Amino acid sequence: MGLGNLLWRRGITRERRRQLLAAEARGEPVEEKGPGRHGWQYYIFYRPMSWMEAARTGKPNGLMVVHILGEEEVAAVGIPVNYSRL
């Protein structure tokens, strides 16, 4: 991506996952309309933890989330997300 050691994936936040699961459990539709966001509209940027972060958290192969951005934010800052590699 040209962003150093940052990696990315499309995803969903834990809070949003909880909301969708709760709506599903109530029998409500989980697809949103209007200004709401779908899980696939988020980009999660992360990097491998430093050795100090890994030691502090006890996760030797852990990842650190750096940013969670919506599609509009990714487009606005011009982050070169390469879809051809998906």
Side-chain angles (χ1 to χ4, degrees):
M1 277 183 30
L3 298 174
N5 66 344
L6 283 183
L7 304 167
W8 69 274
R9 66 172 289 152
R10 294 184 89 163
I12 188 168
T13 63
R14 287 182 184 155
E15 177 59 28
R16 188 69 192 125
R17 182 180 305 277
R18 280 192 289 269
Q19 292 170 353
L20 292 172
L21 289 173
E24 187 178 56
R26 291 187 303 266
E28 299 172 6
V30 294
E31 293 187 49
E32 298 177 15
K33 305 253 188 263
R37 296 188 189 274
H38 298 277
W40 56 88
Q41 289 178 315
Y42 287 98
Y43 292 86
I44 301 170
F45 293 88
Y46 58 97
R47 62 170 172 73
M49 285 185 178
S50 70
W51 69 269
M52 234 170 145
E53 292 165 333
R56 187 175 62 236
T57 61
K59 297 182 179 185
N61 298 313
L63 299 170
M64 181 68 67
V65 173
V66 178
H67 293 288
I68 299 175
L69 302 174
E71 283 183 334
E72 303 84 14
E73 296 164 306
V74 169
V77 296
I79 296 173
V81 177
N82 184 354
Y83 288 103
S84 66
R85 297 178 73 187
L86 296 177

